[in-house]
Amino acid sequence: MVNVRPFQAVRPNEKLADKIASLPYDVLSSAEARELGKANPYSFLHIDKAEIDLEESLSPYDDLVYLKAKDNLRAFLEKEWLKKDVRAGFYIYELQMNGRAQTGIVASTAIDDYISQKIKKHEFTREEKELDRIRHVDTCDANTSPIFLTYRGKAEINELIAQFKASHEPIYDFKSFHEVTHKVWHVDESELVTSLETAFASVPALYIADGHHRTESAVKVGLKRREAYPNESNLAEFNFFLSVLFPAEELEILDYNRVLNVPIPTDFLEQLKPHFDITEKGTTPFKPSKPKQMGLYLNGRWYAVDAKKETIKGDVIGSLDVSILQNEILTKIFDIQDVRRDNRIDFVGGIRGLAELEKRVDSGEFTIAFAMFPPTMDDLLSVADANEIMPPKSTWFEPKLLSGLFVHELESKA
C-alpha cells in the first residue's frame, strides 16, 4: 500500500563516518554549527548548514549559502570522504540511547504517497522554513537529511531485520552526540531487498514523526522536477525522498517544554485555580509524572499543575496536554494565540532537562516555564489518522537521526 524503495546512497567512507555524521541542521543555531564545523572539517554541517563557511554577517538564506552547500557536497565526493554505492539497497539504522534501542529501514519513499495521504502528517509547516530546504535540496540536487517516519510495526519486517543483523557485521558502529550508539548495515542482497519491498507494500500508511518541513520541501522539489523533465519515468529518483522508517512500538516521545517572556499577573496562581489543582513543590525541579499534569517554574519555585476533569476536552486534540496549556493559559491569560510566530514564547527539547528551564528563567531572559508531559505514539497516530493537526511543538524525539550518513541524489543534474 506504500511504496518503499531501495536506492544507491551517497554515504561516508567507513573510516570517517563518526566524523562526518552531524546533528540535524534544524536543532542547531548557526553559531553552534559554526563552532562544531570549525573543529571538524569532515562535519556534514559544512553541507547542511553551509553558512558556517561564509562570513558571519551573511544571511543563512543568501544564494551563496546554497551554492556553497552544493560545492561542499561535490568536494566531499571528490575527496572520497563520501561515496556512492554501486548497487541499490536498503540500510538498517539502529540507535541506542540510555539502554533503549530503535531500529529503522533507510529507504526512498514516494512523493505520491504523501500527496495521496498514505504518508500522514500531524503538524503544519512554516513557509520560510520550507523555502530554505526547497532551495537547499534544489541546489544540491539531493535530499541531504532523512525524514523520520514511523508505522505500526509488522512482525515480518522485524524478523527480516533481526535475521540480517544477527548474520552480518555493521558497516558503521560508533558513539556520538549525547552518548548515542549508531550502527548501520547495508542490505544489498537482492532476495532480502525484494522481501522488504514486498513486506512494506502491505503497510497501509506511514506517519511523519519528525521532519514535516523536509517532507514538504522534498515533495515540492520532486514536483518541480516533474515539470522540468516531463519525459522521465515515474520511477525517476526525484519522485522519491530520503526516509528512515521505524516501528512505532520502538519510539519514545520526550517532553517539549515552554518558556515565556511575559509580565506575570500578581494573582496568576489564583487565575489558574478554576481549571487546575496547584501543589507547591519548592525549589526541587518538578517533572510531570502523568498526563494532564504540568510542572510550573515561577520566581524560583516549582509547582505541580494538574488539570481538573472538567478542563479536559474529550476530542483527540483538545485532550492533549499542550492543548490544555494553550487553551487555558497561553491564550486566556497571556493572549499568546499563535505560538509559531509569537516571539514571547520559546521551546526547549526534553533532552536539555529541567535545569535548562531554570537557567532561562533565572537569567531574566524569560519569566516563567512550563514542563510538559509528552504525548504518546498512540496520540500521534490517532491525530494523523483523524486528519487532524497537533499544536505546534508537541513532540520531541530522541535520539536524533544524524545527518550525513545517507544522501539521496535526485539524479536530475540540476
Side-chain angles (χ1 to χ4, degrees), residues 29-44:
S29 68
S30 291
E32 291 170 326
R34 196 174 292 272
E35 285 301 309
L36 290 171
K38 188 186 301 181
N40 179 10
Y42 301 104
S43 173
F44 199 74

Side-chain angles (χ1 to χ4, degrees), residues 179-385:
E179 294 298 298
V180 177
T181 298
H182 301 264
K183 295 182 181 180
V184 174
W185 291 259
H186 185 195
V187 181
D188 63 352
E189 298 171 5
S190 58
E191 185 176 341
L192 181 54
V193 167
T194 300
S195 295
L196 283 169
E197 274 192 280
T198 302
F200 272 109
S202 65
V203 172
L206 303 173
Y207 302 80
I208 302 172
D210 195 12
H212 285 77
H213 289 93
R214 274 166 280 173
T215 306
E216 288 278 356
S217 303
V219 169
K220 288 176 179 174
V221 171
L223 293 175
K224 180 180 177 180
R225 290 289 191 274
R226 285 183 179 178
E227 291 185 8
Y229 304 96
N231 296 323
E232 285 283 349
S233 162
N234 60 3
L235 297 180
E237 288 300 327
F238 56 72
N239 292 302
F240 299 84
F241 55 88
L242 177 63
S243 301
V244 188
L245 295 75
F246 293 90
E249 296 77 13
E250 294 185 8
L251 301 182
E252 181 180 23
I253 302 174
L254 297 189
D255 42 308
Y256 212 161
N257 302 314
R258 275 79 168 134
V259 287
L260 277 62
N261 184 12
V262 291
I264 306 299
T266 54
D267 63 343
F268 173 66
L269 295 180
E270 290 300 316
Q271 289 189 44
L272 295 183
K273 287 181 179 179
H275 302 286
F276 301 93
D277 294 318
I278 302 169
T279 307
E280 185 172 347
K281 295 294 183 179
T283 58
T284 302
F286 175 73
K287 188 176 180 66
S289 60
K290 58 185 179 181
K292 320 313 174 203
Q293 181 181 71
M294 294 177 282
L296 165 64
Y297 185 62
L298 176 65
N299 295 329
R301 305 193 73 78
W302 283 91
Y303 301 84
V305 180
D306 292 83
K308 294 181 178 180
K309 186 176 181 180
E310 57 270 24
T311 303
I312 303 166
K313 304 297 188 294
D315 61 283
V316 67
I317 299 297
S319 62
L320 294 172
D321 288 55
V322 288
S323 295
I324 295 170
L325 172 66
Q326 178 65 49
N327 297 334
E328 302 299 335
I329 300 177
L330 301 188
T331 299
K332 289 183 179 179
I333 298 178
F334 298 115
D335 194 31
I336 295 176
Q337 307 286 342
D338 184 353
V339 298
R340 294 188 300 161
R341 292 180 172 83
D342 197 311
N343 60 15
R344 294 175 294 166
I345 187 169
D346 199 7
F347 305 89
V348 182
I351 191 69
R352 295 181 180 267
L354 299 185
E356 180 68 15
L357 301 184
E358 292 185 328
K359 175 184 172 184
R360 295 200 182 193
V361 173
D362 292 345
S363 70
E365 181 184 5
F366 294 92
T367 53
I368 191 170
F370 295 92
M372 307 303 297
F373 189 84
T376 66
M377 286 302 300
D378 283 341
D379 290 332
L380 186 153
L381 299 182
S382 296
V383 168
D385 282 337

Side-chain angles (χ1 to χ4, degrees), residues 52-279:
I52 69 175
D53 292 331
L54 300 168
E55 292 293 328
E56 288 188 45
S57 59
L58 195 70
S59 165
Y61 309 115
D62 192 283
D63 289 347
L64 291 175
V65 174
Y66 305 102
L67 292 172
K68 187 63 175 175
K70 179 180 180 179
D71 289 344
N72 285 349
L73 178 56
R74 184 185 298 119
F76 274 43
L77 285 161
E78 289 174 352
K79 294 174 182 178
E80 298 184 349
W81 296 354
L82 294 175
K83 60 181 181 180
K84 185 170 184 176
D85 281 324
V86 176
R87 296 176 59 187
F90 291 114
Y91 303 82
I92 298 171
Y93 185 10
E94 177 190 277
L95 301 93
Q96 296 181 24
M97 180 181 185
N98 297 332
R100 185 180 64 82
Q102 61 188 56
T103 304
I105 288 289
V106 185
S108 63
T109 49
I111 65 174
D112 285 330
D113 282 347
Y114 181 74
I115 293 167
S116 66
Q117 298 184 9
K118 291 179 186 176
I119 297 176
K120 302 185 179 188
K121 64 183 180 181
H122 66 267
E123 286 184 6
F124 286 129
T125 55
R126 293 177 63 172
E127 184 180 13
E128 66 271 23
K129 291 188 175 184
E130 274 187 46
L131 289 174
D132 168 52
R133 283 302 102 176
I134 287 172
R135 295 175 69 191
H136 180 86
V137 172
D138 209 9
T139 305
C140 292
D141 200 39
N143 307 129
T144 58
S145 295
I147 286 112
F148 183 169
L149 299 180
T150 187
Y151 60 98
R152 291 183 172 90
K154 287 178 61 71
E156 178 186 1
I157 296 174
N158 294 343
E159 187 175 339
L160 289 170
I161 292 172
Q163 288 176 353
F164 189 87
K165 285 168 59 178
S167 58
H168 294 76
E169 290 296 317
I171 56 173
Y172 307 138
D173 184 352
F174 62 92
K175 188 171 287 189
S176 189
F177 304 94
H178 304 299
E179 294 298 298
V180 177
T181 298
H182 301 264
K183 295 182 181 180
V184 174
W185 291 259
H186 185 195
V187 181
D188 63 352
E189 298 171 5
S190 58
E191 185 176 341
L192 181 54
V193 167
T194 300
S195 295
L196 283 169
E197 274 192 280
T198 302
F200 272 109
S202 65
V203 172
L206 303 173
Y207 302 80
I208 302 172
D210 195 12
H212 285 77
H213 289 93
R214 274 166 280 173
T215 306
E216 288 278 356
S217 303
V219 169
K220 288 176 179 174
V221 171
L223 293 175
K224 180 180 177 180
R225 290 289 191 274
R226 285 183 179 178
E227 291 185 8
Y229 304 96
N231 296 323
E232 285 283 349
S233 162
N234 60 3
L235 297 180
E237 288 300 327
F238 56 72
N239 292 302
F240 299 84
F241 55 88
L242 177 63
S243 301
V244 188
L245 295 75
F246 293 90
E249 296 77 13
E250 294 185 8
L251 301 182
E252 181 180 23
I253 302 174
L254 297 189
D255 42 308
Y256 212 161
N257 302 314
R258 275 79 168 134
V259 287
L260 277 62
N261 184 12
V262 291
I264 306 299
T266 54
D267 63 343
F268 173 66
L269 295 180
E270 290 300 316
Q271 289 189 44
L272 295 183
K273 287 181 179 179
H275 302 286
F276 301 93
D277 294 318
I278 302 169
T279 307

